Amino acid sequence: MLKKSLDTLRAQFPAQPAEAHCDGPCGVYDPASIRIAAEAAVSMTKKMLAMTPPDASNSEAMAAYLNTMSRYAAIKEEQAHLAKSELLVLWTDYFKPPHLEAYPNLHDTFWKAAKACSSVKVEVSAQHAAELMEAVQEIHTIFWATKGRDIAWYTAS
Amino acid sequence: MRPVLAPDDEVLIDPRALLAAGDLVLARHPFRAGTRIIKRLSAWTEEGSAQLEGLNPDYSTDSRSFGAVPKDHLLGKVVCRF
């Protein structure tokens, strides 16, 4: 009876919606930005490991070698740091306590990924580069699961 | 605004009610035309604007980010929930 009268009221005086939870400025998040930076840093690691030093007496070749190596190192530093910044934004801005309940290893995953960024930045390690990509893939999987979307993992390289 | 309000809850607004700190209020969003928000009125500022707060500070975008809301943006008091 009460429900019926309420339904009648609702039908006669339709109410407009109001937001009780108004989200942040843009709300656009995608772990792809982490992946792209991480891939670049990983690629630089591989290129550095693949370089063969020239004969030390050939000064021109040595200069070119050092120049190339320095450029790879600089890009590796920059992109690994960018990957870490992007990780932190996603971690601290997008993920909320209910996500942590659903994914109890969330903090550990991000921490490992951020640590892997640091390792890739500081070292020239194929193993740590591979670990970074694994961590980023894990974050990709968790992120899209929280969005209820099935987005396949892919890499550009 | 959990745990007081859940998505799709229907509420009744009294547009003439006197608004006091602690009330749930309906307000126009200061920067987003057409968006109306429900927040808790935590305090009136000295200038007579309303300090609005979500009930879940970890998630809420409220006066901490958009500042105090001018009085003419307040549309009424939430008086009951169906």
Side-chain angles (χ1 to χ4, degrees):
Chain A
M1 177 66 195
L2 180 64
K3 192 179 177 303
K4 210 176 162 193
S5 6
L6 274 177
D7 285 345
T8 315
L9 261 176
R10 282 198 187 106
Q12 290 189 357
F13 306 102
Q16 294 167 282
E19 307 288 332
H21 174 203
C22 179
D23 213 337
C26 82
V28 178
Y29 297 102
D30 189 334
S33 61
I34 306 167
R35 175 185 53 77
I36 292 166
E39 271 195 76
V42 167
S43 163
M44 289 303 115
T45 301
K46 288 181 184 161
K47 281 180 189 283
M48 288 171 83
L49 289 171
M51 294 269 284
T52 312
D55 182 355
S57 61
N58 184 343
S59 58
E60 206 170 301
M62 185 53 89
Y65 170 80
L66 291 175
N67 179 54
T68 305
M69 191 61 105
S70 312
R71 298 193 65 224
Y72 289 168
I75 295 168
K76 181 169 70 65
E77 289 273 325
E78 174 196 286
Q79 295 296 317
H81 191 77
L82 177 62
K84 193 153 71 170
S85 307
E86 296 286 344
L87 270 173
L88 293 184
V89 169
L90 191 71
W91 187 10
T92 55
D93 292 1
Y94 171 73
F95 284 100
K96 305 278 192 289
H99 296 136
L100 185 61
E101 279 168 35
Y103 300 92
N105 63 340
L106 183 77
H107 286 346
D108 197 46
T109 306
F110 269 94
W111 190 52
K112 271 194 312 201
K115 285 279 183 196
C117 286
S118 302
S119 301
V120 169
K121 183 167 179 275
V122 173
E123 304 162 11
V124 192
S125 159
Q127 190 200 328
H128 286 150
E131 284 170 13
L132 172 59
M133 290 315 294
E134 280 165 25
V136 173
Q137 183 172 359
E138 219 172 306
I139 287 163
H140 166 99
T141 307
I142 294 176
F143 175 84
W144 288 113
T146 66
K147 290 272 192 182
R149 288 174 61 184
D150 183 21
I151 305 288
W153 166 255
Y154 69 95
T155 57
S157 52
Chain B
M1 291 294 282
R2 289 175 195 274
V4 175
L5 295 176
D8 298 326
D9 271 358
E10 295 191 8
V11 295
L12 194 62
I13 303 295
D14 179 355
R16 292 196 183 82
L18 281 175
L19 302 176
D23 288 345
L24 291 193
V25 298
L26 176 70
R28 287 204 308 272
H29 192 290
F31 308 130
R32 286 165 56 175
T35 298
R36 303 182 317 154
I37 54 179
I38 292 176
K39 299 282 167 200
R40 195 176 72 92
L41 171 60
S42 57
W44 289 107
T45 65
E46 282 179 24
E47 298 78 37
S49 293
Q51 197 71 25
L52 302 184
E53 267 178 20
L55 296 183
N56 300 284
D58 281 354
Y59 318 128
S60 190
T61 302
D62 49 25
S63 283
R64 290 169 302 164
S65 58
F66 53 62
V69 175
K71 196 173 182 179
D72 64 6
H73 279 50
L74 301 182
L75 303 172
K77 173 179 169 176
V78 178
V79 289
C80 80
R81 187 189 58 188
F82 293 106

